[in-house]
Amino acid sequence: MDEELLRSNRSGRRPPDDEVPGSSDRPRSTDDPGIEQEAPPFDLPAVHRYLIRLIVDRDEADVLYQRFVPGLQREAQHTIVSQHKRSRLVFRSALIQWLAELQQSDRCPVPLAPLDVSIEEARFDTIWRTVLLERTWQRLKLLEEESGQPFFLAFRQRSEAPGLSTPELADRIALALDRPISTAGTQRLLRRAHAQFSRMLLEEVIATLPENPPFELLERELIETNLLAFCREAIGGLRRRSSPPGRRPAP
């Protein structure tokens, strides 16, 4: 689990939702590689990364992304809201179905190999999961900057070196902070950082679900995306507060 956290931390560059997509996710112009086109109206980094993995050629993947996203925006949002569907399943199903239909048509702008649905679903879920982890790391970094508490630093150090003892970890954190920190202080800092990461990741997952999702739906999404272990602390508190069982607690 620590290795997965570290990978998502190192690759996490996703900006807040109210900003345009970062250069790593924004499609480039197919006419002039030095000039970026206007960002599509719906930023779907998981969809874009999936297409890059599938197509390999970045420019060809950008062409498909630009063609797919505008039409998906209205259809997906309507399905999610009106049918209370999970975002991941809606996007995954719509994308793979669209690619399969495109592959069979004579208007496909890029070469596409036949798709194995189960393999492509697993590929999409892995990318979706990575994006959620990256968003969480970014939020933890922002919290550190706003609060002055080194949550991101401490949790990153633990992720980079999970085998270190607490005193050894305290030494690394003290070196990065350029000030001493006790073993007990390090333990408290790590507990708080872990709790914040767990809470933030849970919020990111909840944001992809229908409004006021039943507890069972949230838990199933965490299991299917293999994220339950990362936010077990936060969901444990939510489970205890859920009353009656299976319903989201009132604010």
Side-chain angles (χ1 to χ4, degrees):
M1 187 174 73
D2 291 304
E3 292 180 358
E4 293 175 89
L5 280 174
L6 181 56
R7 285 197 298 269
S8 62
N9 172 25
R10 286 175 172 168
S11 61
R13 296 183 177 87
R14 187 190 184 280
D17 291 338
D18 58 350
E19 297 181 11
V20 296
S23 60
S24 61
D25 285 331
R26 182 189 300 172
R28 298 171 296 173
S29 168
T30 55
D31 299 317
D32 185 347
I35 301 177
E36 293 183 332
Q37 293 180 341
E38 183 179 356
F42 201 32
D43 177 25
L44 298 173
V47 170
H48 190 226
R49 294 185 199 183
Y50 169 85
L51 291 173
I52 293 174
R53 292 275 189 90
L54 180 68
I55 308 300
V56 179
D57 184 281
R58 174 67 179 259
D59 291 325
E60 291 180 346
D62 288 351
V63 170
L64 289 184
Y65 180 79
Q66 291 166 5
R67 290 184 58 175
F68 174 74
V69 168
L72 177 69
Q73 180 180 11
R74 294 181 298 274
E75 179 183 345
Q77 289 300 97
H78 175 75
T79 301
I80 292 167
V81 174
S82 65
Q83 300 182 28
H84 302 286
K85 298 289 187 180
R86 288 180 278 170
S87 298
R88 174 179 58 88
L89 302 184
V90 171
F91 292 146
R92 188 184 71 184
S93 175
L95 176 58
I96 294 175
Q97 180 180 348
W98 179 74
L99 287 170
E101 293 173 353
L102 193 63
Q103 195 265 340
Q104 297 295 328
S105 72
D106 55 3
R107 56 186 177 85
C108 185
V110 301
L112 286 175
L115 302 177
D116 184 311
V117 174
S118 61
I119 291 176
E120 298 311 316
E121 286 180 344
R123 188 204 305 265
F124 183 86
D125 286 352
T126 297
I127 295 171
W128 180 274
R129 177 177 183 274
T130 298
V131 170
L132 290 176
L133 285 168
E134 288 176 0
R135 290 181 181 181
T136 306
W137 273 112
Q138 185 119 8
R139 287 182 60 187
L140 192 66
K141 177 69 172 177
L142 182 61
L143 177 63
E144 176 175 291
E145 294 170 354
E146 292 176 344
S147 68
Q149 297 296 316
F151 297 128
F152 178 88
L153 170 64
F155 209 46
R156 183 187 63 186
Q157 294 286 353
R158 168 56 77 194
S159 299
E160 288 178 344
L164 288 183
S165 66
T166 304
E168 290 172 330
L169 191 60
D171 289 340
R172 291 185 58 160
I173 294 175
L175 182 63
L177 293 175
D178 195 25
R179 60 178 172 83
I181 182 171
S182 67
T183 298
T186 298
Q187 291 174 329
R188 288 193 298 270
L189 179 61
L190 284 173
R191 283 196 299 268
R192 295 177 63 192
H194 182 267
Q196 292 289 352
F197 190 92
S198 179
R199 175 186 61 81
M200 290 174 176
L201 180 56
L202 186 63
E203 289 173 351
E204 290 293 334
V205 173
I206 290 175
T208 72
L209 302 177
E211 187 175 359
N212 297 321
F215 181 82
E216 289 85 353
L217 183 65
L218 170 58
E219 191 170 40
R220 184 160 69 248
E221 182 69 9
L222 289 169
I223 292 171
E224 291 180 6
T225 54
N226 200 24
L227 289 172
L228 182 59
F230 293 101
C231 51
R232 194 177 300 277
E233 178 178 347
I235 198 174
L238 184 60
R239 180 188 288 110
R240 289 190 295 272
R241 294 193 303 272
S242 295
S243 179
R247 296 188 61 183
R248 191 174 185 179

